[in-house]
Amino acid sequence: MANKPVILVTRKLPSAVETRLRRDYDARLNPDDRLYSEHQLIERAQGARAILPCHTEHFSADVIRRLPAEVKIIANFSVGFDHVDIEAAKKKGIVVTNTPDVLSDATAELTMMLMIGAARRAGEGERLVREDKWKDWSPAFMVGTQVTSKRLGILGMGRVGQVVARRARGFDMQIHYHDARRLPPEKELGAVFHKSVEDMLPHCDFLTVHCNVTPETRGLMNARRFALLPPGAIFVNAARGAIVDDDALVAALESGRLRAAGIDAYNNEPHVDKRLLGLANTFLMPHIGSATLETRDAMGFRALDNLDAYFAGKQPRDRVA
Ligand code: DGY
């Protein structure tokens, strides 16, 4: 045990992942799943050579500067790494890894649920039945909009975007996409590539965002871009809240420019903008895109594979810094 590297694990992980952690490392676990403050995080990292965090811990330049010098790797339990100041980590010589691929199916599933839930008014319907307020049925009752055969715009055609496209084809949707790079024909499968976001937006009955947070994508969906969508479009976000300007989203939902929105990722989580909570045409989930048993195990094992590689003196497969 004494020779095993100390790993600070910030959140409670699936039991199979914690079993492997205990077997191979001197794991400092968090059985109560408490959210650590910055101060607690830094304190608990004393003596650790690695940290295995989630996106709930924020590694700002200041936090990274205050981490003990022995911490050499941040092996994230997440595909997104916008919670880590990558430049600060590089400067301090800290390796950073993520967990790509393994959550694409689960996130695409949730994206489909958000699309359908927003289009078919699932939140409203559920509340009505659950609160015992459902009194009648008529042809005019709870009419939504159909998903089948509509045009779907995918902003960011990476791993998750491509799985969403595959699932959406099962609903006969026509796929449009924008990404920095055009896919080869065998991956594009007839999807229409648009060189700019602005070119794509007028073609989207549904728009779903699947891009990373970068200086270019932060606040990308602003008032000007929402106004380019066809009236009555449906907006879906299972990626990151930072891609969206909340004032613009709320205004588009209030004016009816957007018929509805399905959202799983927010600015300032878990404190969701109260205006979104008050709107009937939002279908809201609490950042659970990757929350399946299968995916959470796979994310943990992928993070451990990265740690194992690092401590074996090899290049971790998912190194992002
Ligand atoms: C991810 O992996 O980035 C998900 O949002 C969960 O953190």
Side-chain angles (χ1 to χ4, degrees):
M1 174 69 90
N3 295 329
K4 291 180 183 175
V6 176
I7 313 289
L8 171 62
V9 182
T10 62
R11 304 306 301 259
K12 186 166 174 51
L13 298 183
S15 60
V17 177
E18 292 198 345
T19 300
R20 187 172 138 187
L21 260 163
R22 275 197 222 93
R23 184 193 67 193
D24 299 339
Y25 295 98
D26 184 354
R28 208 170 271 171
L29 302 176
N30 181 356
D32 300 329
D33 208 13
R34 273 192 305 128
L35 180 63
Y36 297 139
S37 65
E38 280 183 4
H39 176 73
Q40 289 166 329
L41 183 67
I42 291 159
E43 206 171 61
R44 300 227 3 118
Q46 300 302 320
R49 292 178 61 195
I51 304 180
L52 198 164
C54 295
H55 77 267
T56 46
E57 286 72 52
H58 296 274
F59 292 87
S60 62
D62 180 53
V63 170
I64 287 180
R65 187 183 53 74
R66 287 157 58 207
L67 284 177
E70 307 83 64
V71 173
K72 294 294 178 207
I73 172 167
I74 297 174
N76 287 297
F77 182 98
S78 65
V79 64
F81 48 88
D82 48 302
H83 55 288
V84 180
D85 187 318
I86 293 294
E87 287 315 311
K90 280 186 188 160
K91 211 163 137 198
K92 197 165 171 176
I94 296 178
V95 171
V96 181
T97 61
N98 70 341
T99 58
D101 302 317
V102 292
L103 41 65
S104 304
D105 284 334
T107 308
E109 269 179 18
L110 191 94
T111 301
M112 296 306 296
M113 176 175 136
L114 293 173
M115 278 169 49
I116 297 168
R120 300 301 300 272
R121 305 173 60 176
E124 279 175 86
E126 218 268 347
R127 285 191 293 276
L128 202 67
V129 177
R130 188 173 294 281
E131 291 165 16
D132 201 15
K133 290 184 180 156
W134 178 31
K135 299 294 174 223
D136 190 14
W137 186 96
S138 94
F141 173 62
M142 284 238 15
V143 176
T145 186
Q146 201 143 304
V147 172
T148 301
S149 298
K150 295 282 169 61
R151 298 168 299 174
L152 171 64
I154 302 180
L155 190 43
M157 195 58 142
R159 291 172 288 259
V160 178
Q162 289 177 49
V163 182
V164 169
R166 285 211 292 280
R167 303 293 174 259
R169 284 188 185 99
F171 283 82
D172 298 332
M173 297 187 92
Q174 305 154 39
I175 313 297
H176 293 253
Y177 75 100
H178 167 71
D179 198 280
R181 269 169 302 183
R182 184 169 181 170
L183 294 175
E186 68 276 13
K187 288 196 170 170
E188 201 171 61
L189 297 170
V192 180
F193 173 69
H194 296 267
K195 279 199 182 119
S196 73
V197 184
E198 285 77 9
D199 282 350
M200 178 178 78
L201 293 176
H203 302 276
C204 304
D205 301 314
F206 288 76
L207 174 71
T208 180
V209 291
H210 296 288
C211 36
N212 296 329
V213 180
T214 64
E216 292 73 41
T217 62
R218 197 172 278 282
L220 182 75
M221 284 313 299
N222 56 19
R224 184 175 64 80
R225 293 200 175 96
F226 277 122
L228 291 173
L229 287 165
I234 290 181
F235 176 69
V236 167
N237 185 4
R240 285 293 186 265
I243 298 163
V244 180
D245 172 342
D246 282 349
D247 289 345
L249 173 61
V250 169
L253 284 163
E254 281 176 347
S255 70
R257 176 86 209 174
L258 283 179
R259 179 188 293 271
I263 310 175
D264 185 52
Y266 307 83
N267 285 299
N268 198 27
E269 289 179 12
H271 308 291
V272 176
D273 190 318
K274 292 279 184 291
R275 295 171 299 174
L276 293 173
L277 305 183
L279 288 166
N281 55 348
T282 53
F283 179 52
L284 307 175
M285 287 289 126
H287 200 137
I288 55 165
S290 62
T292 68
L293 292 170
E294 298 84 349
T295 293
R296 288 286 154 88
D297 277 351
M299 290 168 77
F301 294 140
R302 187 86 174 220
L304 286 180
D305 291 347
N306 286 320
L307 280 179
D308 292 351
Y310 176 81
F311 285 110
K314 298 184 193 143
Q315 186 69 258
R317 172 180 179 190
D318 306 312
R319 184 169 180 172
V320 293

